[in-house]
């Protein structure tokens, strides 16, 4: 009998500890649509074992809040609508998150490690006087995380003894949460007085019909070897045969072949597609940092000594100006 | 044309070095390894010096936190055109624990003490890859932030900053005083010429301790292990495009 009581007590204590975890995911969105990396962040948040809430702040949140309420694993959607949230400026969002934190006392606050999350979360952490953790690739326990350092050349396991754990999540390291089957409640949160020290002016987004780089199943990337922006057309043609996104090395961006937002690497985007085809890219440490977790890597390069061949599953030593059109033709045939 | 710019510079293992993880998993080998200024910090220094050359700022102060060798990094910034340096001495155990939270507290304290109207730092250090210090400095000062800047222009009492974001670029206007973090495309850092390197030797570097600034260095982050990432299986060379496509199809990748 004592045994039974003990077991029950233990179970209660266990579930209490479980319940004491609570995570706030800061949703990234365009007012129209949820940004996919938020779904990866929700999966990471679910791994912590506690209740997961999502904060949607913007000028028009109804659509995104509705989308989020159906996402599996989300318990509560907190909605903050205000004209001051135009452009998602961290100066305005940080006080909102702090006010929300005061009200609900989350143990964890996270977001995807995108330009949005990277800009915002450290600002929140400093206000809470806690050290944040960037771009985590795994969660070992509610206070122990794994992240990469030195351009992905070392894995660092960190134990965080802060009262609130603030972190960003590498999207490619966690599956996206399912967008159906959830049934979260929705709640308005009060919005602090606007700070007004920054103002969003405009955006100049690169328009493309191809899949988004960080979530594409296949990525075709070009480097200095392409020699000009016009020659990137060869890669676009190849990419179209595989429904692939097109990326680039820093050399290609610096030379003006393609815009910055296509850069893959330590300081650009981190991708981990099923198939990564590196064309005319030597494979510098900084580029490898952004793609070496791809499932299959193909390298097409005329230099047999190029470091990219050390990580490539399939390497073809050839002139890309011959090989790429040939490959495009072969894929057309099926 | 009255402002003062504080530039944060970090000494890191040179970007071209292939790092080695220590066998005891406590970190990476740094002894006897080539170090240099973090590439993003060079861009920050260049931007600060250009603002001074355009007479939009009157003084550029380079700051580095860490052991004695950081003075070389500050010297490099002085040779690029910074006016004076501040070395915040941190060594031993404190240096191992020195993270963005501690550095941002130091930067914020110095920004106030020196009455800076602008703090420029790199967007990230290539060793820790944290991408936090600028944002945290801005938060502690309650200043606006222009992160991942690819263009900065002074407009009246504020700054117009063009930022590199995921889908392209965006422009914001922020009031000064402000914090800016430099992205790769902000500028092309100059090389320090020999005469400028010689001149830099005469410039002053003040040494201070974090405690002088009222900054506590305790850290609540513990590094449990630093390890090598999993190695990829070595691949195969294919002879032709046909061969490549066949192999990709056979393996189910295509």
């Amino acid at each position: 009998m004592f045994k039974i009581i003990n077991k029950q007590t233990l179970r209660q204590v266990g579930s209490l500890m479980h319940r004491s975890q609570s995570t706030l995911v800061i949703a990234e969105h365009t007012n129209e649509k949820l940004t996919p990396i938020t779904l990866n962040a929700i999966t990471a948040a679910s791994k912590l074992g506690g209740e997961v809430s999502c904060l949607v702040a913007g000028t028009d949140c109804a659509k995104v809040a509705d989308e989020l309420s159906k996402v599996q694993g989300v318990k509560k959607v907190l909605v903050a609508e205000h004209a001051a949230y135009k452009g998602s400026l961290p100066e305005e969002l940080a006080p909102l998150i702090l006010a929300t934190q005061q009200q609900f006392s989350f143990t964890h606050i996270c977001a995807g490690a995108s330009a949005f999350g990277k800009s915002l979360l450290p600002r929140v952490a400093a206000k809470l006087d806690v050290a944040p953790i960037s771009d985590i690739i795994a969660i070992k326990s509610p206070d122990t995380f794994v992240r990469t350092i030195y351009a992905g050349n070392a894995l660092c396991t960190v134990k965080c003894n802060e009262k609130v754990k603030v972190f960003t999540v590498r999207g490619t390291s966690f599956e996206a949460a399912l967008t159906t089957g959830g049934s979260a409640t929705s709640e308005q949160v009060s919005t602090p007085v606007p700070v007004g020290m920054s103002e969003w002016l405009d955006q100049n987004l690169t328009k493309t019909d191809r899949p988004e780089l960080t979530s594409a199943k296949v990525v075709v990337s070009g480097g200095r070897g392409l020699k000009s922006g016009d020659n990137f057309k060869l890669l676009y043609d190849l990419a179209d045969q595989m429904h692939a996104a097109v990326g680039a090395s820093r050399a290609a961006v610096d030379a003006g072949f393609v815009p910055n937002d296509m850069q893959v690497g330590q300081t650009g985007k981190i991708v981990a597609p099923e198939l990564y085809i590196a064309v005319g890219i030597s494979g510098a440490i900084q580029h490898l940092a952004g793609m070496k977790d791809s499932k299959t890597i193909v390298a097409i390069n005329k230099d047999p000594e190029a470091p990219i061949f050390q990580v490539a599953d399939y390497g073809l030593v050839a002139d890309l100006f011959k090989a790429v059109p040939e490959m495009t033709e072969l894929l057309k045939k099926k | 044309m009255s402002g003062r710019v504080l530039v944060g510079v970090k000494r890191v293992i040179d970007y071209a070095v292939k790092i080695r993880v220590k066998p005891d998993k406590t970190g990476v080998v740094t002894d006897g390894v080539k170090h240099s200024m973090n590439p993003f910090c060079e861009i920050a220094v260049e931007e600060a010096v250009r603002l001074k050359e355009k007479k939009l700022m009157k003084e550029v102060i380079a700051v580095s936190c860490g052991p004695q060798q950081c003075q070389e990094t500050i010297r490099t910034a002085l040779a690029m055109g910074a006016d004076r340096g501040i070395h915040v001495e941190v060594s031993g155990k404190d240096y191992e624990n020195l993270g963005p939270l501690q550095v941002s507290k130091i930067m914020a304290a110095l920004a106030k003490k020196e009455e800076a109207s602008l703090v420029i730092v790199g967007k990230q250090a290539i060793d820790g890859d944290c991408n936090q210090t600028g944002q945290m400095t801005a938060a502690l000062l309650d200043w606006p932030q222009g992160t991942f800047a690819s263009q900065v222009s002074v407009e009246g009492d504020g700054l117009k900053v063009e930022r590199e974001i995921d889908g392209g670029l965006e422009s914001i206007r922020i009031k000064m005083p402000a914090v800016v973090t430099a992205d790769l495309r902000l500028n092309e850092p100059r090389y320090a010429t020999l005469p400028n390197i010689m001149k830099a030797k005469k410039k002053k570097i003040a040494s201070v301790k974090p405690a002088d600034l009222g900054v506590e260095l305790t850290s609540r982050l513990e590094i449990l292990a630093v390890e090598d990432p999993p190695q990829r299986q070595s691949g195969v060379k294919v002879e032709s495009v046909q061969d490549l496509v066949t192999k990709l199809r056979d393996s189910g990748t295509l």
Side-chain angles (χ1 to χ4, degrees), chain A residues 5 7 9-10 26 40 46 75 88 103 107 109 133 154 165 185 196 204 219 275:
Chain A
I5 290 170
K7 259 190 192 161
T9 325
L10 270 176
I26 315 298
N40 308 96
S46 306
K75 270 271 155 40
S88 300
Q103 191 183 343
T107 54
I109 301 177
I133 302 172
K165 280 81 174 160
T185 56
N204 186 1
V219 173
L275 174 60

Side-chain angles (χ1 to χ4, degrees), chain A residues 144-214:
Chain A
T144 308
F145 307 90
V146 184
R147 57 183 301 268
T148 65
I149 53 175
Y150 289 95
N153 288 299
L155 300 180
C156 180
T157 306
V158 195
K159 182 160 186 282
C160 174
N161 300 313
E162 301 286 6
K163 54 189 189 296
V164 187
K165 280 81 174 160
V166 178
F167 59 95
T168 56
V169 176
R170 180 170 298 181
T172 55
S173 297
F174 297 87
E175 295 287 316
L178 293 177
T179 51
T180 52
S183 56
T185 56
S186 189
E187 188 177 323
Q188 298 286 326
V189 289
S190 54
T191 53
V193 182
V195 179
M197 58 186 170
S198 55
E199 184 194 350
W200 184 87
L201 300 174
D202 56 31
Q203 241 176 21
N204 186 1
L205 299 182
T206 309
K207 294 218 164 53
T208 171
D209 298 331
R210 294 192 182 81
E212 199 263 324
L213 189 54
T214 52

Side-chain angles (χ1 to χ4, degrees), chain B residues 70-228:
Chain B
C70 289
Q71 296 214 357
E72 292 160 26
T73 312
I74 297 173
R75 224 29 103 183
T76 307
L78 296 178
M80 288 174 73
D83 296 288
R84 59 186 167 98
I86 301 175
H87 174 213
V88 183
E89 293 172 59
V90 184
S91 56
K93 191 80 195 144
D94 281 341
Y95 181 54
E96 283 167 34
N97 287 334
L98 192 71
L101 179 62
Q102 292 77 24
V103 174
S104 58
K105 285 179 180 175
I106 292 169
M107 289 300 287
L110 281 173
K112 275 191 212 155
K113 189 173 163 224
E114 299 289 343
E115 296 173 340
S117 45
L118 182 59
V119 173
I120 311 184
V121 294
K123 82 161 177 180
Q124 76 191 66
I126 58 163
D127 50 0
D129 281 337
C130 286
N131 194 331
Q132 298 171 349
T133 302
Q135 296 87 311
M136 296 176 85
T137 305
L140 296 172
L141 290 163
D142 266 319
W143 291 2
Q145 63 188 51
T147 48
F148 326 144
S150 60
Q151 204 179 312
V152 176
S153 44
V154 178
E155 284 188 354
D157 61 349
L159 294 172
K160 187 179 169 194
V161 180
E162 188 182 78
R163 306 181 55 230
E164 292 197 16
I165 56 168
D166 293 330
L169 296 168
E170 77 173 19
S171 295
I172 57 168
R173 188 179 290 130
I174 53 180
K175 288 184 182 159
M176 277 206 274
V179 177
V180 167
T181 78
D183 214 320
L184 274 178
R185 248 70 61 176
L186 183 57
N187 59 47
E188 181 97 26
R190 71 193 66 188
Y191 286 103
T193 58
L194 190 60
N196 285 341
I197 294 170
M198 300 311 286
K199 259 188 250 166
K201 291 190 176 169
K202 295 204 182 76
K203 293 181 181 174
K204 293 236 164 29
I205 299 179
S207 282
V208 295
K209 296 217 156 55
D212 304 338
L213 302 166
V215 176
E216 252 274 35
L217 292 181
T218 47
S219 168
R220 291 175 293 268
L221 289 187
E222 264 177 76
I223 307 251
L224 299 185
V226 173
E227 293 158 284
D228 281 311

Side-chain angles (χ1 to χ4, degrees), chain B residues 56-71:
Chain B
L56 295 164
M57 291 287 160
K58 72 161 193 253
E59 192 184 26
V60 178
I61 309 171
V63 182
S64 191
C65 311
Q68 194 60 28
Q69 297 96 311
C70 289
Q71 296 214 357

Side-chain angles (χ1 to χ4, degrees), chain B residues 18-55:
Chain B
K18 175 111 184 65
I19 58 119
R20 278 186 305 133
V21 170
K22 286 186 192 165
D24 66 358
K25 297 185 180 179
T26 56
V28 307
V29 178
T30 56
D31 288 343
V33 175
K34 186 186 177 195
H35 283 67
S36 40
M37 189 191 290
N38 178 45
F40 290 97
C41 301
E42 287 183 358
I43 298 170
V45 174
E46 176 66 33
E47 195 63 20
V49 172
R50 286 186 191 187
L51 287 171
K52 193 192 158 189
E53 287 169 346
K54 286 184 209 150
K55 306 206 180 302

